[in-house]
Amino acid sequence: MKILIYLLIIYFIVFIENKVINGEIEQLMINGCEKFDETGDVCIKLKKLNFYTVNSVNQPLTRDLLDYVESQLSINQDDNKLMLTSENQFNVYLNEDQFNMLNEKKKEFGLEIKMNLVKNLEEILGTTIKTEIDKLKRITILLESMRNNYNRGGNTNQSPFPLKSESGIIDYNHYFNYNQLTDFMKKISNYYPNQSKLYSIGKSSLGRELWAIDLSNFSLQQNNSNSKYIKNNNNNNNNNNNNNNNNNNNNNNNNNNNNNNNNNNNNNNNNNNNLKFKQNVKLVGNMHGDEVIGRQMLIYLIDHLLYRNSKSEKPIVDIFENLVISIVPSMNPDGYELGQRENANHFDLNRNFPDKFVGSSSELYKKIQPEVQAIIDWSKERNFIMSANLHGGSLVANYPFDSTRANDNGYGFGIQYPTTDDVVFRKMALTYSLNHAKMYQSKEFLGGIVNGAKWYTLRGGMQDYNYDFTNGMEITLELSQEKIPKSIELNKFWNDNRNALIQFISLPLTMSIYGRVTNFENENLFAQIQISNIDKIVTTDPSNGYYSRLLDDGFYNITVSSFGYKSITKSILLNPNSRENIDFILDNE
C-alpha cells in the first residue's frame, strides 16, 4: 500500500503537473513521504533537504572545487550525501540556506543547478545503491589524480575560484608550475622596474633557470652594484638601472660610455656621498621539490612587498630604502615538476653542501649538484647578512648547528649544539615564530623554535654551510605539517606567514652593525671583523669596503684586521632595537 501511494505521487508529479514549480514539488515530496515513513526520520530530513543535480559548465570538477563547495556550504556527508556521478556532475541534498548560497555562487563556481524529482524509494530514504558507491570510488580516484596535477599548476591555467591578491597580479589559491613561475617573475619585474631586478643564479640539472629577484629602491643602492647577477638582468631593468645611475638616454652609441661611467662610479664609490649602503637579506624556497608551501609564500611575498611599497606603506618603504631582499622561490624546480624531494639526479640538496667535518655522508662524496653550486656562488658573491631556507613537513623555526661538532663525523642525535651566536639565532627564530599565527603555540617545540642538532642531526646542510663558509646567518623555517596542502588552503597559509616573513626580513634594521673599512687614503680594504667571545668572522666586500653582521644589544669589543695594516679594536654599546654604523680606518704597518 505504501509503495502504491508513493508511485501515485510520482505519477502526479511527473505526468500530470508538468508545470509545477519547484516549491510545489518540494511540498508534494514532503506530503508523500509521511504516508510511508513509519518513524518520521526520513520526513524530517526531507523537510530540511532537497535533492539537486549540479553540473560543471566549462571544465571537469576538481577536488579543489568540491572541497571549496563543501567548506562554503558546510556540507555534512552524513546528511547531505554529496555523490559524484561523473567528471562534470554531482548530486547533493541541500537545505534552503545551502541552496541559496550555492545559487548565489554558482557563477563563481562555474556550476549549473537543478532540482531533481524523486525516482525511487531507496533514493527518497537517503540510501545509495552499490553501483553508485562503486562509481563514487572510481571517480574519487580520478579526481585525486586531477587534484595532484592541478596542485602543481598542471593543465589548469587558472584557479576555478580565484582569490586575487591586492595587486591583482596573482591569486592566493593556485600553485605555480615552472612556466607559471617564470611568467610571474618576468611580469612582476617589468611592472616594478625601479624596485625589482630579475636574474638567474644558474640552471637546474635539467636546464631550468633558477630565478632570483632583488627587491629594493635601487636609486639608493650601492652594495650590489658590481654583482655579475644584476648585470645579467632583463633588458628593461638594465635600461632602468642605467637611467637611474647615469641619467642618460639609451642611445646605443653611448652604451660603452655609460658602462665606463658606471665602472668608474663603482671603483670610486668612496668619494660619492650620495650612494647608500644596503644590507642584503636572502630567502630560498622549495629546496626539496615536494615541500611546496615555502615556494608559494615567497611568490606571495614578492607581490605583497612590491605592491605595498608602491602604496607607500611605511614599514615596507623602510625595507626598500635600507635593505635589498633577494628571493629564490624555487631552488629545485626539477624536483617540483617531478613531485619528488630530490633534484633530477636524485640528490637531497640539503645534504650536498660542503661540510667542515669528514664523515660518512654519501651525498658529500658525490659531485656537488648544479643547484647547490649556484647557491654557493651566489652567496659568496653577494655578502648576505642573513637568510632563511623555507621547508615543509613540520611547523618550527630551526637554527644552527644542524650537526654536532664534538664527533669526527659530525653526528650525534638529540644533542643541543649551539653556535657562539646562539642568542642572535634564537632571536631570529623567535621573531618568526612569535609573529606566525600558530608556530609559537607548538606543543612539540618550546616557543616554536629548536636547535637543529637537538631535533635531529644532518651533515651537508645549507644553514650550517652559510654560517661556516659565508658572512651570513641562516635559519630553516618549516611552514606546514603537510608537504603539499590543498591549493584552497594557500590563502590560510599566507595569512599565517605574512607578518612573520615581514618581521623576519626587517631584523637587520633593529639588531645589526655595519660599516666601511678603509685606509687613510680612503681606499676600500678587504678586512676581517671579529666580535669578542664569538667565533664567527665576517669580512668586508672588497668592491665597496663594507661589512655587516647581525648582533644582539650589549657591550662588545670589535677587532678589525687587514693584511699589511695594523689591527684596531673598538668598544661599542649596541642599544636594543637599533642598527649602528661603525666605520674603521686602518694605518699601514
Side-chain angles (χ1 to χ4, degrees):
M1 185 62 182
K2 294 177 182 179
I3 300 297
L4 179 59
I5 293 172
Y6 169 73
L7 292 175
L8 288 172
I9 293 171
I10 300 303
Y11 177 83
F12 178 79
I13 294 172
V14 178
F15 296 102
I16 299 177
E17 295 291 337
N18 288 327
K19 296 182 181 181
V20 174
I21 63 172
N22 287 343
E24 293 172 331
I25 294 175
E26 175 187 353
Q27 190 62 44
L28 288 169
M29 289 167 61
I30 293 171
N31 292 338
C33 82
E34 289 174 341
K35 296 183 181 295
F36 59 80
D37 179 23
E38 296 178 356
T39 64
D41 292 339
V42 176
C43 287
I44 291 173
K45 182 180 290 186
L46 282 174
K47 287 179 180 179
K48 296 180 180 179
L49 302 173
N50 294 319
F51 186 59
Y52 299 94
T53 291
V54 183
N55 295 291
S56 179
V57 180
N58 297 320
Q59 60 185 343
L61 291 167
T62 65
R63 185 68 256 173
D64 303 300
L65 178 56
L66 292 177
D67 288 340
Y68 187 68
V69 170
E70 289 180 351
S71 64
Q72 290 292 300
L73 304 184
S74 300
I75 286 178
N76 182 328
Q77 278 297 88
D78 291 336
D79 294 331
N80 299 102
K81 294 187 181 299
L82 188 151
M83 295 169 286
L84 303 172
T85 59
S86 73
E87 291 184 37
N88 299 86
Q89 185 182 89
F90 64 89
N91 295 332
V92 64
Y93 290 92
L94 300 175
N95 62 32
E96 184 176 356
D97 291 339
Q98 289 171 324
F99 171 76
N100 290 337
M101 183 177 293
L102 183 60
N103 200 40
E104 290 175 3
K105 292 178 173 287
K106 63 183 180 182
K107 289 186 179 179
E108 174 189 346
F109 297 157
L111 301 175
E112 288 181 342
I113 311 163
K114 69 176 181 178
M115 176 179 283
N116 286 294
L117 301 178
V118 178
K119 298 176 182 178
N120 55 59
L121 186 59
E122 286 183 314
E123 187 173 89
I124 201 168
L125 291 175
T127 60
T128 304
I129 59 176
K130 184 178 184 301
T131 55
E132 289 177 318
I133 294 176
D134 292 339
K135 186 186 295 184
L136 175 62
K137 290 179 179 178
R138 291 195 302 272
I139 295 172
T140 300
I141 293 171
L142 172 64
L143 289 176
E144 187 65 21
S145 174
M146 292 164 56
R147 180 180 80 84
N148 289 335
N149 186 43
Y150 174 76
N151 274 349
R152 293 192 173 85
N155 296 326
T156 305
N157 294 323
Q158 294 182 345
S159 168
F161 38 90
L163 179 62
K164 290 294 182 182
S165 66
E166 292 176 300
S167 70
I169 293 177
I170 59 174
D171 62 79
Y172 286 147
N173 46 13
H174 175 210
Y175 283 104
F176 285 52
N177 64 19
Y178 172 75
N179 290 334
Q180 292 163 341
L181 171 63
T182 298
D183 291 343
F184 162 74
M185 298 288 272
K186 291 180 178 179
K187 181 177 182 179
I188 201 83
S189 63
N190 287 330
Y191 197 78
Y192 299 99
N194 297 320
Q195 293 78 37
S196 65
K197 294 183 181 296
L198 175 65
Y199 54 98
S200 173
I201 64 171
K203 292 183 182 292
S204 70
S205 300
L206 296 181
R208 293 185 172 96
E209 300 290 352
L210 303 178
W211 292 116
I213 192 167
D214 290 348
L215 309 180
S216 189
N217 179 352
F218 288 104
S219 63
L220 301 175
Q221 184 186 353
Q222 171 181 327
N223 62 329
N224 288 325
S225 56
N226 279 334
S227 172
K228 66 180 180 181
Y229 298 100
I230 297 300
K231 291 177 182 178
N232 290 332
N233 193 21
N234 62 53
N235 291 334
N236 288 338
N237 285 336
N238 277 334
N239 291 336
N240 285 319
N241 199 31
N242 287 335
N243 288 336
N244 291 335
N245 291 333
N246 301 300
N247 295 320
N248 65 348
N249 59 38
N250 290 321
N251 191 307
N252 289 332
N253 293 329
N254 293 326
N255 278 344
N256 290 332
N257 291 332
N258 294 338
N259 291 331
N260 290 333
N261 289 337
N262 279 336
N263 289 332
N264 289 334
N265 285 338
N266 292 331
N267 293 331
N268 298 297
N269 56 52
N270 45 24
N271 296 318
N272 192 335
N273 294 325
N274 294 323
L275 294 175
K276 182 177 182 178
F277 172 75
K278 293 187 177 185
Q279 294 161 308
N280 207 162
V281 176
K282 173 181 65 176
L283 299 173
V284 177
N286 199 207
M287 182 184 210
H288 292 144
D290 62 348
E291 297 174 13
V292 301
I293 285 297
R295 173 187 174 114
Q296 289 300 126
M297 296 304 101
L298 293 182
I299 292 171
Y300 298 161
L301 181 66
I302 293 167
D303 176 69
H304 180 80
L305 291 177
L306 287 168
Y307 177 79
R308 289 297 182 92
N309 179 68
S310 72
K311 299 301 180 183
S312 301
E313 184 175 305
K314 189 179 186 312
I316 309 302
V317 170
D318 288 345
I319 291 172
F320 274 72
E321 289 185 351
N322 295 287
L323 302 173
V324 178
I325 310 301
S326 301
I327 300 175
V328 173
S330 183
M331 179 182 168
N332 186 8
D334 296 346
Y336 181 85
E337 296 297 315
L338 295 169
Q340 65 188 34
R341 175 185 178 92
E342 301 84 2
N343 72 346
N345 295 331
H346 302 290
F347 277 80
D348 185 333
L349 300 182
N350 208 31
R351 307 292 189 275
N352 192 236
F353 278 83
D355 193 282
K356 276 191 171 183
F357 294 86
V358 177
S360 58
S361 174
S362 61
E363 300 289 356
L364 296 176
Y365 287 95
K366 298 177 182 178
K367 182 180 179 182
I368 296 291
Q369 294 300 289
E371 298 89 349
V372 170
Q373 191 62 55
I375 292 289
I376 290 173
D377 294 343
W378 184 48
S379 298
K380 286 184 175 180
E381 199 267 350
R382 290 296 295 274
N383 217 17
F384 297 106
I385 182 175
M386 58 172 273
S387 55
N389 181 13
L390 280 61
H391 285 251
S394 188
L395 191 62
V396 66
N398 170 35
Y399 57 91
F401 285 115
D402 270 336
S403 64
T404 58
R405 306 302 170 101
N407 300 326
D408 289 340
N409 64 3
Y411 278 96
F413 293 92
I415 300 174
Q416 184 91 9
Y417 212 94
T419 70
T420 50
D421 273 302
D422 191 55
V423 172
V424 174
F425 274 122
R426 286 175 179 268
K427 278 198 170 184
M428 292 172 68
L430 280 171
T431 295
Y432 200 93
S433 177
L434 294 176
N435 286 283
H436 187 278
K438 301 180 180 69
M439 189 179 289
Y440 70 95
Q441 300 172 338
S442 173
K443 295 181 180 179
E444 182 181 1
F445 306 104
L446 182 63
I449 69 172
V450 67
N451 174 260
K454 177 68 175 177
W455 186 16
Y456 66 89
T457 62
L458 64 88
R459 293 183 62 250
M462 186 160 72
Q463 75 174 10
D464 282 9
Y465 166 80
N466 276 281
Y467 190 71
D468 286 335
F469 293 98
T470 77
N471 287 330
M473 300 173 67
E474 177 168 293
I475 66 173
T476 300
L477 300 172
E478 302 278 352
L479 301 184
S480 62
Q481 298 286 356
E482 187 179 356
K483 291 189 176 183
I484 309 178
K486 297 174 183 177
S487 59
I488 60 172
E489 297 176 338
L490 289 174
N491 184 51
K492 174 177 67 68
F493 280 101
W494 172 236
N495 290 333
D496 289 349
N497 285 278
R498 180 178 59 247
N499 187 51
L501 284 165
I502 293 171
Q503 296 302 317
F504 179 79
I505 63 176
S506 302
L507 275 175
L509 303 179
T510 59
M511 53 176 295
S512 72
I513 59 172
Y514 71 98
R516 186 162 164 253
V517 181
T518 63
N519 58 21
F520 279 94
E521 284 71 44
N522 203 27
E523 296 172 333
N524 299 325
L525 296 181
F526 177 72
Q528 294 183 330
I529 295 88
Q530 184 160 19
I531 311 297
S532 55
N533 301 317
I534 295 178
D535 295 338
K536 184 177 178 62
I537 296 174
V538 300
T539 60
T540 59
D541 182 341
S543 70
N544 54 37
Y546 275 93
Y547 73 92
S548 179
R549 75 138 30 239
L550 292 181
L551 201 61
D552 191 26
D553 56 273
F555 287 97
Y556 298 96
N557 292 322
I558 305 177
T559 300
V560 177
S561 57
S562 181
F563 181 75
Y565 293 87
K566 297 177 181 179
S567 299
I568 185 172
T569 299
K570 288 184 179 181
S571 297
I572 68 158
L573 169 62
L574 184 61
N575 293 313
N577 300 313
S578 65
R579 180 175 72 150
E580 296 293 334
N581 180 194
I582 306 169
D583 295 332
F584 293 85
I585 301 176
L586 303 187
D587 196 3
N588 293 324
E589 287 184 338

